[in-house]
Amino acid sequence: MPTIATDGIAEDKIRHPTKKLTISEEVAIEMVAVHKWYGEFHVLKDINLTVNAGERIVICGPSGSGKSTLIRCINRLEEHQKGKIVVDGVELTSNLKNVEIIRSEVGIVFQQFNLFPHLTVLENCSLAPIWVRKMRKAEAEEIAMKYLERVRIPEQAAKYPGQLSGGQQQRVAIARSLCMNPRIMLFDEPTSALDPEMIKEVLDVMVELAESGMTMLCVTHEMGFATAVANRVIFMDFGEIIEQNEPHNFFNNPQSERTKLFLSQILHH
Amino acid sequence: MAVISENGANTRNLITRLWSNRETRSVIIQIVTLTVIFATLAFIFRNVVINLDARGKEFNFDFLFHPAAYDITFSPFIEYSSRSTHLRAAVVGILNTLLVAACGIVLATLLGFIMGILRLSSNWIVNRTVYCFLEFTRNVPVLLHILFVHGLIVIQLPVPKKAVNLADSFFLTNRGFFIPKPVWESGSGLVAVVLLISIAFVVLFKRWAKKAQDSTGRVYPVLGISTGVIVGATALAFLAADMPLSWNIPELRGFNFSGGIAIKPEFIALWLALSYYTSSFIAEIVRGGILAISHGQTEAAHALGLRPNRTLQLIIIPQALRVIVPPLASQYLNLTKNSSLAIAIGYMDVVATVGGITLMQTGKEMETMIIVLLTYLVFSLIISGFMNLYNKKMALVER
Ligand SMILES: Nc1ncnc2c1ncn2[C@@H]1O[C@H](COP(=O)(O)OP(=O)(O)OP(=O)(O)O)[C@@H](O)[C@H]1O
Ligand SMILES: [Mg+2]
């Protein structure tokens, strides 16, 4: 069950949200009439969503509503069966070249971190730059160190993921994605596998990332985070986008009954 | 009196103190354990000496240098006749054990990996067929498999005169399989030298490619180039040396084949049975190893833009091997030890020669058994030594 935790974010971030960031006219992601089925089960129903470069979008909704499926369609970890998805001007089709281009432009952070346990933190981060971007090892490691510093764990570079705490592992996972210099970052409940005291360190990194102008789609129930950085909150239920709004209005003035019910449930927890 | 009782209390105190201290306690335990082990060994040794004495037997290995006076039908590596010594018979036996174990390990690994991967196939028929085969194989004792395959060959295959003829070069009969024997002519030395050089080149090239990637970022198709160099250079040398290879093809002479290489039914039966029996365990190990790597690993690699073959090479295989190798090692040990069932079908391994006929002829139970035991012990230690090295190198650092 989703939990809400507003204390994850520094107080001042909530009072002075980072919304003034410029959002460009450029379209980063466009989904038109997207449908997806798992066998008979209709997971995504007529999804229409346009994300501009620099936008920070939070997606919430009850368990099983298709949030993960939606964002995983954006980098083809799941395949949609109907409709059109265009990422950074490249359409996702079964053309493997396009999939490759999009995957190297889009980073994703998973709930379960999915770090490579047999590689050190530094190797986790430099692996894709070396093998996908064909970078020199020294250069790739330099970049890896840069992002490890940005997520504030450069001193862990030589350790293996198994030696780190959950919060540290998730920050490595974020750094690993950033090393590919993505234009878009996807997050699938990045803090829900973490102990409460580690949630903040991860959210802080995500807030900084938002402030740097990264286009972000984030599935989360951290309402504090949504208020602080999102410029749009999307509510999904039964595979549909029910409602989307700017966070203040979304939380204080929900339009649909289902949104009201969902918000009352997570706020009462 | 008071003094004595005080002393007693002190000693008791001392022991309690030593016992409750973790370090001294472990020293005490070690001393006790060693004492027990040595006492047992000494007892056994004394018993042996007394018993041998009582029967008027001496403990020595002189018999090894006496003529063995029995035949060994299968000695592919060294000359042996019934006039050879027991030592030579022992060596033949050890080599035969080694041969069937080594061939078995290779074939079992191959079959095991193939079937383990097929078991993961999403094709229902393939998956179920392999599953049924594995379940049947694993649950029947290996001795029955050996007798079964041996029976198949000896009873079901035709006599040499009516041999199953494969392409006029391979002949399957109830006296064994006959296959062409390569005959190297002058100039084949050149081919061998070129092959060695190209292997050395590939090793160096691999290192160089790694360095080049580190310093320039360029990724070279190492596997393709390596295969190309080895196959290409060797083939060129082979042609240049005027194809210095001919085949000695087995021919039917009277009641049996001559020429070529004759593989005895005992060897084939033992080899095949041990291989497919062990491979059914290896298949499960391989399947488990691959399944142990969560789908999240593949997804994370794909999401970073790694292609499927790189994902396999850099992420899946290294992790799966860590899970697969340790139990694989114990299957290799099992196969080696199971090869002692050779005696059931008359394959002359170390148990059948030294531990069988030599023992009965000389009555040297202790000595022959020591040789047999040491043989298996050394093989086992070598296999597990390699595996330990590998594990040490690959051990995952866990929290
Ligand atoms: N591989 C699959 N095969 C069949 N059904 C699936 C598969 N993956 C997900 N589903 C179903 O699709 C629906 C949407 O799943 P999804 O993971 O997108 O939900 P979610 O909104 O992310 O939920 P949660 O908050 O629990 O993560 C669920 O009902 C789930 O059972
Ligand atoms: Mg989900």
Side-chain angles (χ1 to χ4, degrees):
Chain A
M1 263 279 101
T3 52
I4 185 162
T6 33
D7 53 355
I9 298 286
E11 274 296 310
D12 60 315
K13 282 276 157 46
I14 293 177
R15 260 184 256 115
H16 309 285
T18 47
K19 279 184 208 109
K20 278 126 262 161
L21 280 169
T22 49
I23 295 168
S24 88
E25 293 293 300
E26 193 190 330
V27 175
I29 303 170
E30 193 182 14
M31 302 178 91
V32 183
V34 172
H35 289 261
K36 175 170 178 61
W37 288 264
Y38 282 123
E40 290 286 288
F41 183 58
H42 202 167
V43 222
L44 294 182
K45 300 171 188 159
D46 192 29
I47 301 288
N48 290 285
L49 177 67
T50 306
V51 182
N52 286 350
E55 268 202 283
R56 301 161 306 278
I57 293 181
V58 161
I59 303 172
C60 61
S63 183
S65 55
K67 310 177 295 288
S68 300
T69 311
L70 173 72
I71 70 163
R72 288 157 59 86
C73 278
I74 295 172
N75 66 350
R76 256 291 150 126
L77 289 181
E78 303 289 351
E79 203 172 313
H80 61 285
Q81 279 114 19
K82 219 173 127 191
K84 190 166 94 165
I85 303 180
V86 182
V87 181
D88 236 353
V90 182
E91 184 173 355
L92 267 176
T93 57
S94 32
N95 182 343
L96 290 177
K97 261 257 117 37
N98 285 3
V99 175
E100 240 168 65
I101 295 173
I102 289 171
R103 281 182 176 166
S104 65
E105 296 298 328
V106 178
I108 186 164
V109 174
F110 303 91
Q111 181 176 359
Q112 300 299 339
F113 328 138
N114 292 347
L115 292 177
F116 305 129
H118 61 303
L119 302 177
T120 63
V121 166
L122 189 66
E123 289 166 343
N124 263 279
C125 293
S126 58
L127 183 82
I130 289 175
W131 290 97
V132 181
R133 295 259 190 258
K134 311 274 192 277
M135 237 180 238
R136 288 186 295 116
K137 191 177 177 196
E139 192 186 348
E141 289 185 343
E142 204 175 297
I143 291 177
M145 283 314 293
K146 181 176 110 187
Y147 284 108
L148 286 174
E149 259 154 46
R150 210 161 132 189
V151 300
R152 291 189 281 275
I153 36 174
E155 73 282 358
Q156 311 287 357
K159 288 199 185 160
Y160 285 88
Q163 297 169 296
L164 305 184
S165 75
Q168 290 172 324
Q169 291 193 45
Q170 194 59 296
R171 285 185 282 151
V172 173
I174 295 175
R176 178 175 73 176
S177 285
L178 292 179
C179 285
M180 284 296 283
N181 201 10
R183 317 250 325 236
I184 299 164
M185 282 291 285
L186 310 172
F187 293 85
D188 190 1
E189 307 205 30
T191 54
S192 39
L194 297 177
D195 293 338
E197 68 270 21
M198 294 171 189
I199 291 178
K200 185 178 174 327
E201 64 189 46
V202 172
L203 287 180
D204 282 348
V205 167
M206 289 169 63
V207 169
E208 276 181 33
L209 194 60
E211 284 169 346
S212 74
M214 176 69 77
T215 312
M216 289 167 67
L217 258 82
C218 184
V219 176
T220 184
H221 293 131
E222 296 291 337
M223 294 311 156
F225 174 78
T227 332
V229 302
N231 55 309
R232 202 161 16 135
V233 180
I234 290 177
F235 174 68
M236 282 185 76
D237 201 2
F238 297 110
E240 290 174 294
I241 295 183
I242 304 292
E243 178 168 352
Q244 43 182 315
N245 211 334
E246 171 275 317
H248 185 76
N249 284 338
F250 178 85
F251 290 118
N252 296 322
N253 189 17
Q255 303 296 305
S256 93
E257 284 308 313
R258 279 197 254 173
T259 319
K260 281 178 198 161
L261 183 66
F262 173 73
L263 285 176
S264 75
Q265 275 170 356
I266 62 170
L267 291 173
H268 280 151
H269 262 274
Chain B
M1 288 301 259
V3 176
I4 291 169
S5 76
E6 200 168 62
N7 259 346
N10 268 345
T11 3
R12 220 173 300 130
N13 251 337
L14 184 68
I15 291 172
T16 337
R17 270 218 318 280
L18 287 178
W19 187 245
S20 51
N21 180 320
R22 207 154 60 94
E23 275 165 34
T24 47
R25 183 196 292 206
S26 83
V27 171
I28 294 175
I29 292 178
Q30 285 176 35
I31 291 172
V32 171
T33 316
L34 282 180
T35 318
V36 171
I37 290 176
F38 278 115
T40 315
L41 285 179
F43 174 74
I44 292 174
F45 185 72
R46 186 170 161 271
N47 237 324
V48 168
V49 171
I50 292 175
N51 279 326
L52 284 177
D53 230 30
R55 294 168 178 228
K57 283 186 177 176
E58 268 179 69
F59 182 83
N60 63 42
F61 287 91
D62 294 348
F63 69 96
L64 281 177
F65 306 99
H66 303 159
Y70 61 88
D71 278 322
I72 298 179
T73 47
F74 187 70
S75 173
F77 299 110
I78 59 174
E79 286 293 322
Y80 177 86
S81 75
S82 55
R83 279 187 303 277
S84 307
T85 58
H86 281 295
L87 179 62
R88 211 169 177 84
V91 173
V92 170
I94 291 173
L95 287 177
N96 283 349
T97 294
L98 220 113
L99 177 70
V100 80
C103 293
I105 284 174
V106 171
L107 185 59
T109 311
L110 214 72
L111 286 177
F113 272 74
I114 292 172
M115 288 197 292
I117 290 165
L118 287 182
R119 268 289 270 130
L120 293 168
S121 155
S122 49
N123 182 322
W124 193 86
I125 302 264
V126 171
N127 194 322
R128 286 290 109 176
T129 313
V130 178
Y131 172 74
C132 291
F133 176 75
L134 294 182
E135 280 306 305
F136 171 74
T137 315
R138 282 199 306 166
N139 291 305
V140 173
V142 61
L143 179 59
L144 294 188
H145 285 301
I146 295 172
L147 294 175
F148 170 69
V149 179
H150 189 245
L152 267 190
I153 295 173
V154 177
I155 298 166
Q156 294 296 323
L157 281 180
V159 294
K161 261 194 145 57
K162 297 180 182 154
V164 179
N165 181 338
L166 303 176
D168 271 337
S169 341
F170 297 85
F171 302 92
L172 314 185
T173 78
N174 63 359
R175 300 248 200 120
F177 295 179
F178 297 86
I179 62 171
K181 181 180 187 175
V183 181
W184 296 101
E185 289 149 11
S186 69
S188 51
L190 174 74
V191 180
V193 169
V194 169
L195 178 65
L196 286 181
I197 291 177
S198 52
I199 289 175
F201 170 82
V202 162
V203 171
L204 292 179
F205 170 70
K206 239 182 114 174
R207 274 198 214 156
W208 176 85
K210 174 92 180 57
K211 278 216 187 91
Q213 185 185 1
D214 286 354
S215 58
T216 67
R218 256 200 82 178
V219 180
Y220 293 87
V222 174
L223 189 67
I225 292 182
S226 306
T227 335
V229 166
I230 294 184
V231 173
T234 315
L236 272 181
F238 186 70
L239 290 178
D242 223 14
M243 304 203 248
L245 169 68
S246 62
W247 295 96
N248 179 351
I249 294 177
E251 264 176 84
L252 190 61
R253 289 269 163 78
F255 289 111
N256 208 347
F257 281 88
S258 72
I261 298 176
I263 312 176
K264 292 274 171 199
E266 304 90 74
F267 173 78
I268 298 169
L270 188 64
W271 176 46
L272 293 183
L274 284 178
S275 300
Y276 76 70
Y277 175 76
T278 313
S279 77
S280 63
F281 292 89
I282 294 179
E284 285 299 290
I285 292 169
V286 168
R287 185 176 81 99
I290 294 176
L291 285 182
I293 314 304
S294 81
H295 189 53
Q297 292 287 307
T298 315
E299 284 191 340
H302 285 175
L304 285 168
L306 288 170
R307 296 199 182 142
N309 58 342
R310 290 284 179 223
T311 304
L312 210 61
Q313 174 202 344
L314 300 168
I315 307 299
I316 307 300
I317 292 177
Q319 291 187 61
L321 279 186
R322 276 162 220 260
V323 185
I324 291 172
V325 166
L328 194 61
S330 63
Q331 288 308 322
Y332 289 171
L333 294 179
N334 279 348
L335 188 146
T336 308
K337 289 180 287 183
N338 283 341
S339 75
S340 59
L341 293 169
I343 200 162
I345 53 170
Y347 177 75
M348 298 300 270
D349 73 335
V350 66
V351 177
T353 55
V354 192
I357 306 179
T358 297
L359 186 156
M360 280 187 274
Q361 288 188 359
T362 61
K364 293 281 191 184
E365 304 90 350
M366 272 303 284
E367 294 86 339
T368 51
M369 279 304 133
I370 286 176
I371 294 175
V372 172
L373 286 181
L374 279 182
T375 306
Y376 286 109
L377 188 66
V378 168
F379 289 171
S380 300
L381 285 180
I382 290 173
I383 292 176
S384 52
F386 272 116
M387 292 305 169
N388 283 344
L389 267 184
Y390 178 86
N391 280 342
K392 213 177 227 164
K393 205 174 138 217
M394 304 303 270
L396 260 197
V397 184
E398 293 290 353
R399 217 163 117 75

